[in-house]
């Protein structure tokens, strides 16, 4: 690709993920939604499709799935291909709006298998979602070698101040097990320049 200029971006979800999303029925509560997301992260690890992370966007009231994604950084050669970013972008495309919090439309939540990194926190802030639910903690993710960036120490309060509810460590042990499995399999820790 040296010497050429890219004019488009194409990041395709693994076929197994597309099938699971198509078969998904509305889920009544955050625990069920999180179990679904953690299972996607586990499948991503087991199928060697990418990192040990998954995320999904749901309508809060109905539990309807708008979009789901897994981490595809290595497979797509794109450092921005975090599960949260992809799930938010796909949900925005699905509803035809960049703002998932547009008045008159169902409020949405982002459910992630891990606490968002610095980059994903920014995406949450501007996505329009009204609730963020995560499983594994920042410390859990850093413990296997990932660089989560220098997040603002009061990031949860900042999101709440902007009308975004934050629910953390939902089904954390299950998410920790996925992280551990990734490490045991020798999964790639794709920090910039190999640093931490």
């Amino acid at each position: 690709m040296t010497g050429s200029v890219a004019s488009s971006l194409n990041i395709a979800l693994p076929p197994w993920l597309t099938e699971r999303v198509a078969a998904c029925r509305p889920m009544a509560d955050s625990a069920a939604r999180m179990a679904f997301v953690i299972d996607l992260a586990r499948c991503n690890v087991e199928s060697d499709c990418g990192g040990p992370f998954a995320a999904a966007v749901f309508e809060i009231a109905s539990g309807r799935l708008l979009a789901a994604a897994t981490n595809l950084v290595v497979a797509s050669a794109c450092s921005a291909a975090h599960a949260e970013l992809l799930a938010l972008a796909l949900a925005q495309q699905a509803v035809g709006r960049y703002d998932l919090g547009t008045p008159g439309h169902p409020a949405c939540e982002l459910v992630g298998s891990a606490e968002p990194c610095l980059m994903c926190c920014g995406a949450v802030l501007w996505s329009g979602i009204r609730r963020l639910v995560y499983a594994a903690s920042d410390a859990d993710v850093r413990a296997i070698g990932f660089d989560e960036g220098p997040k603002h120490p009061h990031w949860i309060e900042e999101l709440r101040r902007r009308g975004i509810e934050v629910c953390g460590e939902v089904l954390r042990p299950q998410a920790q097990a996925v992280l551990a499995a990734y490490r045991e399999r020798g999964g790639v820790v794709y920090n910039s320049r190999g640093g931490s």
Side-chain angles (χ1 to χ4, degrees):
M1 188 117 189
T2 304
S4 65
V5 177
S7 61
S8 65
L9 178 64
N10 181 22
I11 300 175
L13 298 177
W16 64 263
L17 177 57
T18 305
E19 291 169 10
R20 284 178 184 247
V21 167
C24 187
R25 301 287 178 252
M27 296 176 213
D29 58 46
S30 292
R33 297 170 196 174
M34 183 60 77
F36 172 77
V37 167
I38 291 171
D39 187 55
L40 295 180
R42 181 188 55 74
C43 289
N44 208 44
V45 170
E46 291 174 355
S47 63
D48 292 322
C49 288
F53 309 104
V57 176
F58 294 89
E59 290 180 349
I60 294 173
S62 71
R64 183 172 76 98
L65 176 66
L66 296 179
T70 53
N71 182 284
L72 297 172
V73 169
V74 175
S76 66
C78 178
S79 63
H82 286 204
E84 298 91 337
L85 292 176
L86 296 176
L88 289 168
L90 290 167
Q92 290 162 339
Q93 293 293 299
V95 300
R97 300 184 313 276
Y98 65 88
D99 184 356
L100 295 171
T102 303
H105 295 278
C108 296
E109 71 178 355
L110 175 67
V111 178
S113 64
E115 183 177 322
C117 69
L118 174 65
M119 178 173 63
C120 294
C121 274
V124 165
L125 178 67
W126 290 300
S127 67
I129 64 159
R130 290 291 152 237
R131 182 163 57 205
L132 167 67
V133 183
Y134 67 87
S137 71
D138 179 273
D140 297 332
V141 176
R142 290 180 191 272
I144 68 165
F146 284 97
D147 179 2
E148 295 298 277
K151 281 195 301 199
H152 190 285
H154 305 292
W155 69 275
I156 292 175
E157 291 83 1
E158 289 295 329
L159 291 181
R160 287 181 176 152
R161 193 169 64 81
R162 290 168 170 83
I164 302 168
E165 177 187 356
V166 179
C167 303
E169 302 184 9
V170 175
L171 302 183
R172 182 181 177 199
Q174 292 89 325
Q176 288 172 315
V178 173
L179 296 173
Y182 187 73
R183 181 179 56 217
E184 288 165 13
R185 291 172 70 98
V188 176
V189 176
Y190 37 83
N191 297 329
S192 175
R193 294 173 301 284
S196 57

